Amino acid sequence: MPRAAVVYQKDQPMKIEEVSLRPVAEHEVLVRVKACGVCHSDLSALNEFFACPTPVILGHEAAGIVEQVGSAVSRVAPGDSVVAAWSPACGQCRFCKRGRPHLCNLADDPISRAMDRVSAGGQTIAQFLGVGGFCEQTILADNAVVKIDPAMPLDRAALLGCAVITGYGAARYAAQVQEGDEVAVFGCGGIGLNIIQSARLQGASLIVAIDLDDAKLELARRFGATHTLRGDGADLHKALRGLTRERAGLDFAFDAVGNVEIARAGFLSIAKGGELVLVGLAHMKDKLSLSQIAAVTQEKVIRGTTNGSTDTWKTLPELIRLYQDRKLMLDELVTRTYPLDEVNQAMDDLRSGRNARGVIVME
Ligand SMILES: NC(=O)c1ccc[n+]([C@@H]2O[C@H](COP(=O)([O-])OP(=O)(O)OC[C@H]3O[C@@H](n4cnc5c(N)ncnc54)[C@H](O)[C@@H]3O)[C@@H](O)[C@H]2O)c1
Ligand SMILES: [Zn+2]
Ligand SMILES: [Zn+2]
């Protein structure tokens, strides 16, 4: 029986225990999980920043090897290397049909279709975002699994499934940063560092990284930041505007923390016609308050983005090519790997901001 890290109670350590998986259904895939990154969204589910049922297995940035497929599965076969897609795409709904699969109706609530695949002691256990990657084996829907190049190391490939696709896509596909643009990225964790490297690849001329941690700012420079600022400085928006051409303001400000104060500072720091891009998830009770007049008269855009506003099936091969051509930094994202038994330590290290990414690696 596979071992899993199960959350029974919010804000309490996960319990490592053996679990049972039910047989795969016709449209499902059984995957031997080899690696799963630890994302701030896992911590937010544990913290009740947003609602998530318990008991639950967290982890949604996973890669592994297909072991078994249901009778109706044609996309993957046993032995394939795969990355889990926490944002599934049905190919049928109006969003999928209009080229916006990241907004697929299935992605509204992927956990609701993943409540009965795993159990322990007679109790069913949910899989966070339909993935439940902190488990040695997992069952995924066939529209939530992406076949990848078998040459790709799985402890690196895992990160593509959330941190990289989200950050890379936020700059390339959501904001569509252009050559010469001036951008700032608040928060230099797994998501923010990937926004920074995507802005670099897009040719942004000014990339300001903002964080509370000096080591993260140092890392941000390696990923492409041209300037760094501490997030606890006074009048951040004035400092940011001061760095831009004619002190006019930024073309894009990205919130990769998930904090309404940061979103406000971002809104104040963008130029006329600029965009505030919201990537981080604030507490579910937080409300964002901004000047409506400024938004109207200065044509400021406020944009949310999920899953990098992109098609996972098209973008993962693009990311793998960039990594293999040494244009995308991936190895540098992994601060530390942990065995499954140390998943609580990995979560503590994320909470304290120690890691760019911590990755759970399974034999
Ligand atoms: N939109 C999406 O599709 C999507 C996908 C994945 C994650 N997320 C969200 O993105 C956010 C970031 O995730 P992550 O995994 O990179 O988190 P992380 O914890 O790895 O990184 C957050 C960074 O923000 C910094 N920070 C905290 N407070 C700050 C402040 N006041 N000013 C400046 N920097 C500050 C921290 O030091 C840390 O480096 C989370 O809210 C997560 O839930 C969104
Ligand atoms: Zn994530
Ligand atoms: Zn769809």
Side-chain angles (χ1 to χ4, degrees):
M1 289 207 299
R3 290 177 328 128
V6 185
V7 178
Y8 282 98
Q9 246 186 315
K10 294 294 174 73
D11 275 328
Q12 294 298 316
M14 291 167 265
K15 188 176 167 203
I16 311 294
E17 63 179 0
E18 290 191 336
V19 295
S20 303
L21 267 56
R22 65 153 169 71
V24 294
E26 56 175 346
H27 281 288
E28 289 178 343
V29 179
L30 177 68
V31 175
R32 170 74 50 184
V33 180
K34 293 292 186 183
C36 188
V38 187
C39 173
H40 206 104
S41 300
D42 297 308
L43 179 59
S44 294
L46 189 63
N47 279 346
E48 283 204 278
F49 239 59
F50 42 75
C52 171
T54 53
V56 64
I57 300 172
L58 300 176
H60 58 282
E61 198 177 70
I65 304 284
V66 174
E67 288 193 327
Q68 205 186 322
V69 298
S71 57
V73 173
S74 54
R75 273 187 183 177
V76 295
D80 285 349
S81 289
V82 291
V83 168
W86 57 264
S87 183
C90 72
Q92 305 297 323
C93 72
R94 60 176 287 207
F95 298 98
C96 282
K97 282 189 172 154
R98 289 180 183 185
R100 306 178 87 192
H102 57 288
L103 297 179
C104 176
N105 291 334
L106 288 181
D108 292 348
D109 184 17
I111 202 168
S112 64
R113 285 174 300 280
M115 299 294 289
D116 71 338
R117 300 171 184 161
V118 188
S119 63
Q123 190 177 16
T124 56
I125 301 171
Q127 295 169 296
F128 182 50
L129 296 180
V131 178
F134 295 157
C135 183
E136 291 166 338
Q137 277 178 310
T138 188
I139 295 175
L140 302 172
D142 64 348
N143 51 30
V145 69
V146 187
K147 181 176 167 177
I148 58 159
D149 181 346
M152 201 53 203
L154 292 170
D155 58 347
R156 300 295 185 262
L159 304 184
L160 302 176
C162 187
V164 184
I165 199 167
T166 301
Y168 175 83
R172 178 168 166 78
Y173 295 112
Q176 300 181 16
V177 170
Q178 305 291 311
E179 197 162 342
D181 279 348
E182 298 186 313
V183 315
V185 180
F186 291 80
C188 304
I191 308 294
L193 289 168
N194 281 293
I195 300 173
I196 290 168
Q197 70 169 331
S198 182
R200 167 178 58 82
L201 290 166
Q202 293 295 107
S205 59
L206 176 83
I207 306 174
V208 190
I210 302 135
D211 205 289
L212 302 173
D213 184 295
D214 290 334
K216 289 282 178 60
L217 293 176
E218 194 50 48
L219 194 56
R221 283 203 182 262
R222 291 180 62 197
F223 274 72
T226 57
H227 296 71
T228 58
L229 282 177
R230 293 226 14 137
D232 43 9
D235 290 335
L236 213 45
H237 66 280
K238 288 187 187 153
L240 281 166
R241 294 183 84 94
L243 293 171
T244 63
R245 278 187 290 269
E246 300 167 25
R247 305 173 74 83
L250 298 158
D251 297 300
F252 298 96
F254 295 86
D255 172 10
V257 178
N259 175 315
V260 291
E261 290 307 324
I262 285 174
R264 247 195 299 272
F267 184 78
L268 291 171
S269 66
I270 53 175
K272 286 184 276 190
E275 282 193 26
L276 166 64
V277 187
L278 303 175
V279 192
L281 294 153
H283 192 283
M284 55 188 165
K285 290 195 178 139
D286 284 344
K287 301 275 184 284
L288 178 57
S289 142
L290 301 169
S291 160
Q292 201 225 6
I293 289 185
V296 173
T297 59
Q298 298 173 30
E299 289 201 0
K300 290 188 173 186
V301 176
I302 301 152
R303 177 191 299 280
T305 170
T306 180
N307 196 50
S309 305
T310 190
D311 181 335
T312 308
W313 283 262
K314 285 189 185 144
T315 304
L316 287 197
E318 178 183 333
L319 292 169
I320 289 172
R321 261 193 315 278
L322 285 169
Y323 171 67
Q324 290 170 338
D325 292 348
R326 298 182 189 283
K327 290 182 181 150
L328 187 87
M329 293 168 71
L330 204 49
D331 304 332
E332 298 79 356
L333 265 184
V334 182
T335 313
R336 188 174 161 190
T337 60
Y338 305 78
L340 183 63
D341 294 296
E342 290 175 21
V343 68
N344 288 302
Q345 181 63 48
M347 202 60 101
D348 285 347
D349 290 346
L350 174 80
R351 197 183 275 116
S352 66
R354 201 165 296 148
N355 292 344
R357 249 332 182 228
V359 183
I360 308 300
V361 175
M362 293 172 244
E363 286 312 314

